[in-house]
Amino acid sequence: MSWTWLAALVPFFSAIVGAAVGGLVVHRTALARDARNEQRARRVEHLISAYQRLSAASNREGNLNPEQAADLEAALSEVMLLGQRTEIGAARAFMVTFATEGGAELDPLLIALRSSLREELGLDPTPLPKPYSIRLLL
């Protein structure tokens, strides 16, 4: 009995197994990449929202209204949850100073957030200008 026909099938089966394994590896890699991109997009979205709320609460004379205070608390919570080390450190420093002195500057936290977000989004590292916000009295 000749086994030459079986030897002729080995490259065929090898190609099928290789294609199946390769397809599986590519599929799993794509799923992992998509999950990382989704996680990154959600993190950036939340931190941009936190930045906007922190900016809205900054440079105000007098006390914040209840809505602004709630926004400030929520923004600080998001930074503590999703921020990087420098952002979390700046948020903590703000909270400690605010708790002990009754007020604190948000500029270091805003600068840290802005710098991190610009880097994450692939934007140039343009420094935050002063003044960076305007308060309109209507």
Side-chain angles (χ1 to χ4, degrees):
M1 177 171 186
S2 173
W3 294 95
T4 56
W5 64 273
L6 185 59
L9 291 178
V10 169
F12 174 72
F13 285 122
S14 176
I16 290 177
V17 169
V21 170
L24 182 62
V25 168
V26 167
H27 178 69
R28 291 190 55 94
T29 302
L31 286 177
R33 182 196 64 231
D34 292 346
R36 281 191 311 271
N37 287 343
E38 176 65 25
Q39 181 182 34
R40 177 181 167 259
R42 291 187 70 161
R43 178 183 171 278
V44 166
E45 177 183 326
H46 282 279
L47 290 179
I48 287 173
S49 173
Y51 178 89
Q52 291 169 335
R53 287 179 285 159
L54 291 169
S55 180
S58 69
N59 299 319
R60 297 206 172 265
E61 293 185 20
N63 293 331
L64 299 173
N65 67 39
E67 183 181 334
Q68 292 166 334
D71 280 348
L72 177 62
E73 291 172 0
L76 289 168
S77 292
E78 284 185 1
V79 171
M80 295 303 279
L81 177 64
L82 299 170
Q84 295 179 352
R85 187 173 307 207
T86 56
E87 299 154 1
I88 291 170
R92 183 184 180 286
F94 169 81
M95 290 187 289
V96 168
T97 303
F98 191 88
T100 58
E101 298 177 15
E105 289 289 322
L106 278 169
D107 290 359
L109 176 54
L110 286 169
I111 290 168
L113 265 174
R114 183 178 183 277
S115 174
S116 173
L117 286 167
R118 289 185 69 82
E119 182 179 330
E120 185 80 25
L121 295 170
L123 302 172
D124 64 347
T126 303
L128 183 64
K130 276 283 204 176
Y132 57 84
S133 63
I134 186 170
R135 301 288 168 240
L136 301 174
L137 301 175
L138 303 174

